[in-house]
């Protein structure tokens, strides 16, 4: 993946010489450098906020640290798959497995 990304960046360097494509490359560079980090910052904050809420509210009374941390990581992974709209290979964790009283919270997250 890194090789593909760097080869495109290298190609963009040579495309800058053309007047019609140079402005496009400059615009794409500005989008990648300025806008995408802000989007990922907002996405990360909202991801961890909803993950914390779902993990805390769906606690079954087991307060062991390792189990709680594992559920937190599993919830993060499930929410990432839900927002990207893919299914994980081991699709044991799904937003349909959320408790019925927390379904409203998972519905809000899936609309983001």
């Amino acid at each position: 993946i890194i090789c593909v990304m760097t080869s495109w960046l290298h190609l963009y360097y040579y495309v800058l010489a053309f007047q019609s494509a140079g402005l496009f490359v400059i615009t794409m560079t500005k989008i990648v450098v300025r806008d995408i980090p802000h989007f990922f910052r907002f996405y990360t904050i909202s991801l961890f906020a909803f993950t914390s809420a779902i993990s805390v509210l769906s606690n079954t009374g087991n307060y062991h640290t390792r189990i709680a941390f594992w559920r937190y990581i599993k919830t993060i992974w499930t929410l990432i798959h839900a927002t990207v709209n893919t299914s994980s290979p081991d699709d044991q964790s799904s937003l349909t497995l959320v408790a019925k009283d927390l379904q409203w919270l998972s519905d809000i997250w899936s609309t983001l």
Side-chain angles (χ1 to χ4, degrees), residues 45-61:
I45 289 170
S46 59
L47 175 74
F48 284 118
F50 275 94
T51 301
S52 298
I54 289 174
S55 295
V56 167
L57 293 174
S58 66
N59 191 358
T60 59

Side-chain angles (χ1 to χ4, degrees), residues 37-99:
H38 293 296
F39 167 75
F40 280 127
R41 187 177 311 137
F42 173 75
Y43 177 74
T44 304
I45 289 170
S46 59
L47 175 74
F48 284 118
F50 275 94
T51 301
S52 298
I54 289 174
S55 295
V56 167
L57 293 174
S58 66
N59 191 358
T60 59
N62 191 349
Y63 296 105
H64 296 291
T65 307
R66 286 195 307 190
I67 294 173
F69 185 71
W70 175 249
R71 286 183 58 124
Y72 188 74
I73 297 298
K74 196 173 184 181
T75 306
I76 288 175
W77 189 247
T78 303
L79 288 177
I80 288 173
H81 279 288
T83 56
V84 179
N85 202 15
T86 61
S87 61
S88 59
D90 56 340
D91 201 8
Q92 300 170 355
S93 61
S94 173
L95 286 179
T96 59
L97 300 176
V98 175

